Amino acid sequence: MTTSAATPADGLDRVAPRLRDLRRSRGLTLEAAALRAGLSPAHLSRLETGHRQPSLPMLLALARIYGTTVGEVLGELPPEEQPVIRGGRAAPMNADGWTYHQVGASGRAMQALRVVVPYGAQGDLVRVHPGEEWLYVLDGRLRLVLGDTVHEMAPGDSAHFDSLTPHRIAAATSDGAELLFMHTLLQSPDFHPHV
């Protein structure tokens, strides 16, 4: 059987209608949601029809706009129903070259993923959003850029930072990298408020 270019990508056909339903249930037009997410209405429309793959930063941005979690967007069960995440329970999601495995319960303020980052994928994408991020390198070497500082990370290294700091994550070697990644949906507390 031949699939056309307009056929939704594997695994994304279940995410696309959720994105549309979440937007509509929040009373947002395509244009209003796209503006808040920093996307064009055409791009958001392609995400909602499954003709474009959402990256993790896009899923995070849309989940925040819709007042929900990435887990809900991905269709994960509520934490009360599924507190233990079994290996191989769900198929991984692929987006913009990265592979995401859900390793934490959905519906929580903190989301956990195991991420495989191939060399050259999303390496120039700068992210800035409310919340905190924590990552732990499992395999390979990772390049983490926080503001103007470049950190080369090896297996066993971890980082914890406020995600309002402009940041980029990329594999530092041609073999790629694998990491555990956690983020919160809430902004980090200000330990040094301005007086």
Side-chain angles (χ1 to χ4, degrees):
M1 178 177 167
T2 305
T3 58
S4 71
T7 302
D10 291 341
L12 294 175
D13 53 343
R14 60 192 164 102
V15 174
R18 281 193 194 93
L19 287 173
R20 183 184 57 246
D21 292 345
L22 284 166
R23 176 181 56 77
R24 289 178 176 169
S25 71
R26 286 6 179 223
L28 293 170
T29 64
L30 190 67
E31 292 76 15
L35 180 65
R36 290 183 187 182
L39 303 171
S40 71
H43 189 112
L44 182 55
S45 176
R46 287 189 293 273
L47 292 174
E48 289 185 356
T49 56
H51 296 101
R52 179 100 177 154
Q53 293 184 346
S55 65
L56 179 60
M58 280 184 217
L59 288 173
L60 287 169
L62 291 168
R64 286 186 184 96
I65 290 165
Y66 301 150
T68 188
T69 65
V70 172
E72 182 180 346
V73 175
L74 295 176
E76 298 295 320
L77 296 174
E80 295 74 28
E81 296 177 34
Q82 195 71 302
V84 174
I85 309 301
R86 302 282 181 202
R89 174 179 70 87
M93 269 199 65
N94 296 303
D96 290 345
W98 289 22
T99 303
Y100 305 97
H101 301 265
Q102 186 78 24
V103 295
S106 61
R108 303 285 188 185
M110 180 178 63
Q111 299 290 297
L113 299 164
R114 182 171 53 91
V115 183
V116 177
V117 182
Y119 186 72
Q122 299 186 33
D124 57 352
L125 180 63
V126 177
R127 300 168 175 92
V128 178
H129 51 85
E132 293 183 43
E133 292 186 22
W134 175 87
L135 57 90
Y136 178 89
V137 180
L138 294 169
D139 190 37
R141 297 189 67 79
L142 192 74
R143 180 173 294 111
L144 171 65
V145 180
L146 293 173
D148 295 327
T149 306
V150 178
H151 303 274
E152 189 95 8
M153 301 175 67
D157 292 346
S158 63
H160 186 176
F161 55 93
D162 187 314
S163 48
L164 285 174
T165 303
H167 54 284
R168 289 183 292 159
I169 299 170
T173 58
S174 60
D175 293 339
E178 184 173 2
L179 59 130
L180 292 177
F181 172 84
M182 286 192 270
H183 68 92
T184 62
L185 300 175
L186 308 172
Q187 189 165 341
S188 303
D190 187 357
F191 293 111
H192 306 288
H194 301 338
V195 215

